[in-house]
C-alpha cells in the first residue's frame, strides 16, 4: 500500500432477500417529497414498482416520478429531473434500477441547485461541487456498475456526442442502497452478461497498474475468481441465488473504492468505451468486452509481470512452464474465452460501429492509461484491432 | 452471499506517510476539549506524542491526558477515563496507540454517560447503547486488532477475572483513524508478530464457517495471502515500508466487517484466548497462536471441505495428490510452521499458564463456535492439547 490514500464510504448497504424491509426506516430520515427515478418499465412488470409505491404511500410521502431513463442516461433527462427537484422541493431522490438510473439520480442531485451550467462546470471542467446536494437512495435491479456505493455519475450529452463520467466525493454517494439479488433474475441474459463484464472490467482497470506488491491486488484476484466462478453458474441457471448474490456483491465491492486503494489504476478501456457508447448506444459491458482484449494485447508488454500474475492467480494457468510473453498472452486468451462464453460481442461491428466512426471516436476519447499512456494514435490502433 | 446483511462503516481512514497531516482538519469538527489516551510511553519515545501535542496546541485545544493503558486495558482505567470525560466535558477522545488503547477509548466513550453500571449493562448483558456517545478518533501505532475501523471494545475486569468483548454499532466506531505504517517500525518484533497473528486469526475466524461459495471467502483468501507474504518480508526487514503498510491494511480490512459479510463466523479461538489472557496477561496474538493449531486440529473434521480449500488456496498445497484428511491437516501444519517462523509461542506453558488454570479457563470461556459447537469439555480438551 505504497500510495497514500483516504478511504471514506458512508453508503449504508442492505443486502439480501429481506433488504426492502429496511426502506420504511430509511424513509423516516427524509422529508415528505420523494422523486422516484426509474427506467423503461421493467420495474412495473416485475411488480417492484407497486411494492415501492405502497411503502411510499404508507410512509405518507408525496411521490413525483421521472421514468424512461435510458441505458446511457442523457443530459436532457438529468436536467428534467433537476427541474422536478427544484419545483417540488424534493427531499429524497429514490433511484430504482441499474447503474444508469442511479448515475442519473446522482446527476440530478448535483445539478438541481448548481450555480451555472452543470455540464460545463461538473462534467467538463471537473469543478468542485459547491451547491446543495439532494440525498439519493437506491434500489438496485441490475448488477454491474457499482454506482450503488460510489460517487460515479456517467451522463451522455447527446447534442455534443459526449459520454462523460466522474467520481464525485462521498457526499454524493447514495445514502443507502437496497440490494436484493432476486430483483436481478428478470434481467435478460445478455444484460446480465454485460453487467458481469462491466464488473470484470472495473476490477481489471484497477488491477493493471503498479509493479508493487499491494494487498489490494490480492483482494482483486479473489473478487475476480469469485465473479468468474459465479458467472458460469449463473449462465447455466440464472436463478441460482448464491451465484446472483455473489455477482451482485462483486459488482458493489468492485467499485466502492476499496479495490482501488493505493493503486494508480488504468481506466483507459472505460474512456474508449464511453466514446464507443456515445456513437453506438451499445450496452456498456458489451462495449467494454469488445475493447478489452485488443487493448490488453496492445499494452501487456508495458506491464508484463502483472499480466503473468493475472494468468497465474486469476486463471490458474501453469505459467512456470511458459515464457513471460506466452503466459501474459495466455491470460488474455482466457479473458477472450470468458467473453465468448458470456455471449458478449468481440468486435465493434457487432455493436453497430462503422469504420468511418473510428477516427472520431479516437479523437474524442480522453487520453490516459495505466502501464502505457494512450495517445490518439494508440487508441485508434486499438479501435481498428477491435473492429 | 446467502445470508442477508447490513453493511455500514462510516470511519474515515487516512493512510500513509502523510496521514497525520489530516489531523488539523479533523480537529475542526470537534469542540475545545480533547482527552488524549495512550499507553506506557512508547509514543513519547518515538516523538509522536510531541507532534500530536503540537497539533492540538495549534488547534487551540484544551488537552487532558489518560496514559498507561495496559495491553489488556482494564475496567478501572476505562472508568477513570469516563470520569475525566464527564468532569471536563470532553468533546473528542483521541486514542494514540494500538488496539488496546482504541478499545479503551471506545469503552470510555460508551461509559461516560451510561445510565447504570456500564460493565453489567454493556459488557455482560449486551444491552443496547442508549446514552450519548463521545466521538473517538485514533492514531494507530500497532497493526493487528482492527479496532481503528470497527466497533469492537475488549475490556478486562481484573476484579472479576473476565476479559469481555463486544462489537458495538457504527456510532461507536472511530470517526477517523490515522494510519501511518512508519509508526509501527518501533514496535518490538515479538509485538509485531503478535499483531500479525491477531489479524491472521481474525481472518480465519471469519473464513472457517459455512459450506457455501461466498465472495467474502475469496476476498479473505486474498488478504491472507498478502498478509503471509508481507509477514515474511517484515520479519527479514521490519522497515520495509511496503510490507508494513500491507500488514497494517490487512489488519484494518480484516476486521472492518467487510471480510465477515454474509458469513456465520466462528470466534471460538478468540473466546478461549480472552480467558487465557485474563489468567496470564499474555499478548493477545501470542495467546491466539497457542490456541489456533490445537483448535483447528480438533474441529477440522466438521468443516473438512473448507480446510482442504484453505490448504489449496492459501498455502498453495497440491491437495489433488492427497486425501481430504491429509490436505486439511497439511494446511493446519503450514499454519503451525507460520507461527513458528513468526517466533510466537506454541504452548500455554510458554505464556505463563499453569495446569491448574486450565479447568477455570475452560469453565469461564463463552461457549460457541463455527463448524462445531464447543462445550466446556471440548474447550478443556483444546486447552490440554495446547498446554
Amino acid at each position: 500500500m505504497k500510495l497514500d490514500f483516504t478511504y471514506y464510504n458512508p453508503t449504508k448497504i442492505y443486502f439480501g432477500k429481506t433488504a426492502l424491509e429496511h426502506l420504511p426506516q430509511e424513509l423516516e430520515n427524509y422529508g415528505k417529497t420523494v422523486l422516484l427515478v426509474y427506467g423503461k418499465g421493467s420495474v412495473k412488470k416485475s411488480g417492484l414498482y407497486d411494492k415501492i409505491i405502497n411503502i411510499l404511500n404508507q410512509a405518507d410521502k408525496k411521490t413525483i416520478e421521472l421514468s424512461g431513463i435510458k441505458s446511457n442516461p442523457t443530459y436532457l433527462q438529468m436536467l428534467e429531473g433537476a427541474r422536478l427537484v427544484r419545483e417540488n422541493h424534493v427531499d429524497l431522490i429514490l433511484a430504482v434500477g441499474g447503474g444508469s438510473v442511479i448515475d442519473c439520480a446522482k446527476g440530478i442531485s448535483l445539478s438541481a441547485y448548481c450555480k451555472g451550467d452543470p455540464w460545463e462546470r461538473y462534467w467538463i471542467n471537473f469543478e468542485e461541487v459547491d451547491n446543495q446536494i439532494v440525498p439519493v437512495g437506491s434500489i438496485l435491479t441490475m448488477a454491474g456498475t457499482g454506482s450503488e456505493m460510489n460517487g460515479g455519475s456517467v451522463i451522455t450529452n447527446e447534442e455534443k456526442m459526449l459520454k462523460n463520467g466522474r467520481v464525485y466525493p462521498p457526499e454524493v454517494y447514495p445514502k443507502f442502497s437496497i440490494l436484493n439479488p432476486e430483483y436481478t433474475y428478470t434481467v435478460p441474459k445478455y444484460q446480465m452478461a454485460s453487467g458481469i463484464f462491466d464488473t470484470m472490467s472495473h476490477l481489471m482497470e484497477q488491477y493493471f497498474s503498479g509493479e508493487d506488491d499491494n494487498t489490494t491486488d490480492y483482494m482483486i484476484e479473489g473478487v475476480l475468481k469469485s465473479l468468474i466462478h459465479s458467472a458460469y453458474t449463473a449462465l447455466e441457471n440464472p436463478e441460482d441465488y448464491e451465484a446472483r448474490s455473489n455477482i451482485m456483491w462483486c459488482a458493489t465491492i468492485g467499485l466502492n473504492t476499496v479495490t482501488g486503494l493505493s493503486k494508480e489504476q488504468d481506466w483507459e478501456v472505460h474512456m474508449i468505451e464511453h466514446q464507443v457508447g456515445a456513437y453506438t448506444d451499445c450496452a456498456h459491458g458489451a462495449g467494454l468486452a469488445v475493447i478489452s482484449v485488443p487493448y490488453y494485447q496492445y499494452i501487456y508488454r508495458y506491464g508484463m509481470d502483472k499480466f503473468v500474475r493475472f494468468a497465474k492467480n486469476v486463471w490458474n494457468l501453469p505459467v512456470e512452464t511458459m515464457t513471460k510473453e506466452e503466459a501474459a498472452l495466455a491470460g488474455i486468451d482466457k479473458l477472450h474465452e470468458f467473453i465468448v462464453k458470456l455471449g458478449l460481442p468481440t468486435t465493434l461491428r457487432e455493436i453497430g460501429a462503422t469504420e468511418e466512426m473510428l477516427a472520431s471516436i479516437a479523437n474524442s476519447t480522453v487520453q490516459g492509461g495505466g502501464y502505457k499512456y494512450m495517445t490518439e494514435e494508440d487508441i485508434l490502433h486499438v479501435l481498428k484491432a477491435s473492429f
Side-chain angles (χ1 to χ4, degrees), chain A residues 276 279 348 353-365 379-380 383-387:
Chain A
V276 170
Y279 277 76
L348 284 171
T354 63
E355 203 158 2
E356 293 68 43
M357 287 178 186
L358 303 188
S360 308
I361 292 173
N363 178 261
S364 59
T365 295
I379 293 165
L380 188 59
L383 286 168
K384 285 182 177 166
S386 312
F387 188 68

Side-chain angles (χ1 to χ4, degrees), chain A residues 102-114:
Chain A
I102 305 172
D103 277 27
C104 186
K106 287 184 223 167
I108 294 168
S109 162
L110 284 157
S111 305
Y113 301 106
C114 177

Side-chain angles (χ1 to χ4, degrees), chain A residues 100-328:
Chain A
S100 314
V101 174
I102 305 172
D103 277 27
C104 186
K106 287 184 223 167
I108 294 168
S109 162
L110 284 157
S111 305
Y113 301 106
C114 177
K115 300 155 196 152
D117 178 21
W119 182 261
E120 284 300 318
R121 290 199 57 204
Y122 294 154
W123 275 266
I124 296 290
N125 296 329
F126 291 4
E127 286 182 33
E128 211 168 298
V129 178
D130 59 2
N131 54 263
Q132 183 196 334
I133 302 287
V134 185
V136 170
S138 89
I139 299 171
L140 192 66
T141 62
M142 216 182 120
T145 72
S147 187
E148 62 276 12
M149 202 181 178
N150 67 33
S153 176
V154 180
I155 301 292
T156 297
N157 192 319
E158 289 182 311
E159 192 194 341
K160 301 194 167 140
M161 290 288 272
L162 281 174
K163 180 173 168 180
N164 278 11
R166 178 177 166 194
V167 179
Y168 292 92
E171 302 81 65
V172 180
Y173 293 21
K175 303 295 175 212
F176 64 90
S177 286
I178 289 169
L179 277 58
N180 181 341
E182 291 177 328
Y183 297 162
T184 67
Y185 286 174
T186 52
V187 172
K189 216 168 200 176
Y190 183 76
Q191 297 295 334
M192 176 186 86
S194 170
I196 288 169
F197 197 78
D198 191 15
T199 299
M200 180 101 184
S201 177
H202 294 158
L203 291 161
M204 293 190 298
E205 298 269 30
Q206 296 169 91
Y207 184 71
F208 287 120
S209 72
E211 292 296 350
D212 50 349
D213 176 59
N214 184 323
T215 298
T216 301
D217 284 329
Y218 289 84
M219 286 178 63
I220 295 176
E221 288 165 352
V223 180
L224 279 171
K225 283 165 74 175
S226 178
L227 178 68
I228 294 163
H229 180 84
S230 288
Y232 286 137
T233 308
L235 282 172
E236 293 260 317
N237 177 14
E239 299 207 359
D240 184 302
Y241 181 81
E242 187 163 34
R244 295 307 283 269
S245 66
N246 286 343
I247 289 168
M248 193 171 225
W249 187 240
C250 286
T252 304
I253 202 85
L255 202 56
N256 77 345
T257 81
V258 85
T259 51
L261 294 176
S262 201
K263 295 282 304 173
E264 284 162 2
Q265 311 189 19
D266 184 331
W267 293 106
E268 193 58 21
V269 172
H270 269 70
M271 292 303 106
I272 300 172
E273 193 288 326
H274 281 184
Q275 281 322 95
V276 170
Y279 277 76
T280 66
D281 201 34
C282 65
H284 177 53
L288 296 169
V290 169
I291 305 296
S292 292
V293 169
Y295 178 78
Y296 292 128
Q297 283 170 339
Y298 189 67
I299 67 144
Y300 77 93
R301 282 182 198 85
Y302 304 90
M304 186 68 91
D305 288 343
K306 195 56 155 292
F307 280 89
V308 174
R309 182 173 160 172
F310 178 67
K312 178 174 186 241
N313 289 356
V314 176
W315 299 107
N316 290 314
L317 293 175
V319 300
E320 299 75 13
T321 65
M322 308 176 186
T323 65
K324 279 190 180 186
E325 176 104 10
E326 287 167 351

